[in-house]
Every structure is written in structure tokens, then in C-alpha cells.
Amino acid sequence: MPARNLLTLEGTSRADLREVLDLARDYASGTVDRPLAGKIVCLAFFEASTRTAVSFELAARRAGADVISLSERGSSIQKGEGLIDTIVTLDSLGADAIVLRHPAAGAARLAALHTEAAVINAGDGRGQHPTQALLDLHALSGHLGGFDELEGRKVAVVGDVVHSRVARSIIPAFRAAGMELAIVAPQTLLPLDAGAWGLPVLPSVDDAVDWGADVLYALRLQKERMTGGSPRVPSVPEYARFYGVARRHLAGGAVVMHPGPVNRGVEVAGDVVLDASSLIPDQVASGVAVRSAVLALSMDVARSRVAA
Ligand code: NCD
């Protein structure tokens, strides 16, 4: 059975999403015992990460895998070794899955060409971040009472879309789950080809609330990707006024989501981040079971040890 990579959610289907989320629910409820026992999972993180790195590690360990962690510092990448040689080395050492975070879009796809191991994209530059979108769907369907409850819900994706791999994964995934989407962003934070999504673009979070958003999905202002000198937003307080989610936006029952890390008071008001209307802690908590499910599916051992 060839490895099943998870590189992108472009082209994903409702059935694919349901398969991962159903399995994640089983894993979260503890009915599957150590499906990854005997498997070697390599975590190769060449860009900063807290939530994704920690939850992948927990996900792999809880599911029984042997885990190797590699970062730029302390590895031969520091000596100039390239991505492909690093991947080939991990392959030779017997990795069954390689979880890769990398600053270059396309890095995971490139890696997958050079290994028999399953490659899981844990974020590649402005490319994709598929497990983030999957855990978001897990958190949201948990909040709403099931996967079928996602159908027809309205989600406003707010903020720095142009630099966001999260946006590039949640847009196809949320659509495949049957949700209706809109974007809330200034022109300077939209990709040139944003029109290809065919989504309405709204001028402020207030307008998203008027549109009937059930979910306000805020994206981080990714200053580390704003290269070239000219600022993308004239001032951060002004940005926060039009694109920041505040308590008043949640009064009608909408919930706020954010992949983290949050710039408190910019994308989401400080007093709202951990509020009852915030799914941000649920998103983080969903990461472990969802990533165990993704790893197990990628190595085709998902239900090999389902308890009787
Ligand atoms: C995101 C990422 O790194 O792409 N965070 C995450 O994985 N939880 C989003 C971000 O950094 O803005």
C-alpha cells in the first residue's frame, strides 16, 4: 500500500473530510489503541511553530509511534544540506511518515517526490496548511453538534489572506463541507487571483455580521511575510477598527476562530480570545486527535487496532 500524502486540501471532498473527522472522534474517545505502534514518524520543522509542532508530537506519541524531531538548528541543514538530501536521509533511516513545515511554498510536494514515506504538510510558506483546516472543522463540528451541522453555515474569513496558507486550506475545505464563505480584507491583503475563489469580499467585520456570519475566522497579520518595504496596512489600530473581531460582533451568536498565534487586540480583541464565543482553545485541543487520524490514514493503519 503506497503512502498517502497530505499535501493540500485543494480538491478535497466531503467524504474525505468525514473520514478524517470520524476517525479523529474515535481516537479522541479512546476506542483505538496505539494504531501507530512500530511506525517511525519524523517531525521536520524548519520554521517557527508552537501549536502545530507540539500537537503533532503528542498525536504521534499517543498513537504509539516512535518520534524523531528535526529542526534547522542542530541538524545538517545548518551546514548547508538541502531539503531533498535531508528527506532522502530520513527515508534511509526508515521514516514511515515525515511531517514537514517549511518556509517555501511547494516544499512538501517536492519532498514527497523523494521518499516512500508519507509526507504530511504542516505548513509550507504561503502554500497550504491542511491539518489546520481539518482541526478547525473538527472544533466547529464539535461545537455545532456534528459534521452535518456544518452544511449551510456562513463563514467570514477575515484579514491577511494574501500571506495565509491557512486561508488556502480552509477555503476549499470549508466549501467541501457545505459552508458558505465570504472574505473580509482590504485589497492590499488579497492575492491578485482572489477572484478565482468567486467569493464576496466585504469591507469590514461589521459588514460580515450584517451578512449573517455564523463564524468569524480571523487570520494573523503575518508581518514576517510582508517583505519589500511598503506596508500592507496603513496603521495597525486602523486595521483593528475595521478587521478586528470585537465583543459586539459576537452578540448575535457568532463564534470567533483563529489559527493562532493571535495578535491580541489586533485580529481579535484581548477580552474575546478566551471568551465563551471563542473556539480558539477548541481549535488547539482538536489538533491532537485530528493529527493522529491523519498520520494513521497516511500509513494505512487507521483502524488496524480498533478495540473489540
Ligand atoms: C498558522 C501557521 O503557522 O500557518 N499557525 C498555526 O499553524 N497554528 C497561522 C499563523 O501563523 O498565522
Side-chain angles (χ1 to χ4, degrees):
M1 178 79 192
R4 201 163 131 188
N5 301 318
L6 179 59
L7 306 176
T8 178
L9 288 178
E10 289 289 352
T12 192
S13 69
R14 191 178 165 77
D16 291 341
L17 297 172
R18 190 189 279 275
E19 180 184 30
V20 180
L21 297 196
D22 283 354
L23 189 64
R25 297 242 168 266
D26 289 350
Y27 284 7
S29 65
T31 52
V32 184
D33 184 34
R34 295 169 57 81
L36 300 185
K39 298 290 181 189
I40 300 174
V41 174
C42 181
L43 309 177
F45 276 66
F46 303 130
E47 199 189 67
S49 175
T50 300
R51 294 154 192 77
T52 308
V54 171
S55 78
F56 260 115
E57 180 159 356
L58 270 174
R61 286 191 195 283
R62 279 213 188 143
D66 292 324
V67 179
I68 307 164
S69 290
L70 193 68
S71 62
E72 186 162 344
R73 237 178 118 215
S75 75
S76 290
I77 295 221
Q78 234 180 347
K79 299 180 187 165
E81 187 166 40
L83 175 65
I84 294 171
D85 286 340
T86 304
I87 295 295
V88 170
T89 302
L90 296 174
D91 185 279
S92 307
L93 289 169
D96 295 294
I98 299 172
V99 178
L100 181 67
R101 170 164 287 202
H102 198 280
R109 194 171 291 283
L110 179 67
L113 296 175
H114 296 276
T115 176
E116 293 296 307
V119 175
I120 313 295
N121 184 359
D124 62 329
R126 298 183 190 187
Q128 284 274 322
H129 193 354
T131 59
Q132 178 67 46
L134 294 169
L135 69 86
D136 291 338
L137 288 173
H138 185 271
L140 190 55
S141 60
H143 169 74
L144 294 171
F147 185 78
D148 290 329
E149 297 299 319
L150 297 169
E151 181 93 44
R153 302 287 174 160
K154 295 175 106 173
V155 183
V157 179
V158 186
D160 188 356
V161 178
V162 68
H163 299 110
S164 178
R165 54 193 173 210
V166 174
R168 286 179 185 75
S169 285
I170 63 172
I171 289 173
F174 284 20
R175 271 184 155 168
M179 294 194 275
E180 193 182 333
L181 300 184
I183 293 176
V184 182
Q187 209 63 39
T188 51
L189 292 179
L190 282 176
L192 290 175
D193 61 351
W197 280 316
L199 299 176
V201 178
L202 307 173
S204 72
V205 177
D206 287 320
D207 289 283
V209 172
D210 292 344
W211 172 72
D214 301 297
V215 179
L216 299 168
Y217 193 113
L219 299 166
R220 186 171 60 88
L221 262 188
Q222 298 180 47
K223 294 201 180 121
E224 76 278 18
R225 298 196 204 287
M226 295 187 193
T227 50
S230 58
R232 295 276 185 150
V233 293
S235 87
V236 171
E238 200 170 61
Y239 175 88
R241 202 171 121 218
F242 292 99
Y243 304 104
V245 177
R247 186 172 292 285
R248 71 176 189 283
H249 296 127
L250 306 171
V255 291
V256 61
M257 300 179 77
H258 189 299
V262 181
N263 290 308
R264 280 173 177 260
V266 180
E267 300 106 24
V268 182
D271 63 337
V272 167
V273 174
L274 299 178
D275 193 72
S277 303
S278 167
L279 294 190
I280 298 169
D282 307 40
Q283 290 172 267
V284 177
S286 293
V288 178
V290 167
R291 288 174 168 133
S292 291
V294 164
L295 286 166
L297 287 167
S298 73
M299 289 177 266
D300 197 30
V301 290
R303 297 192 187 270
S304 59
R305 286 162 196 261
V306 178

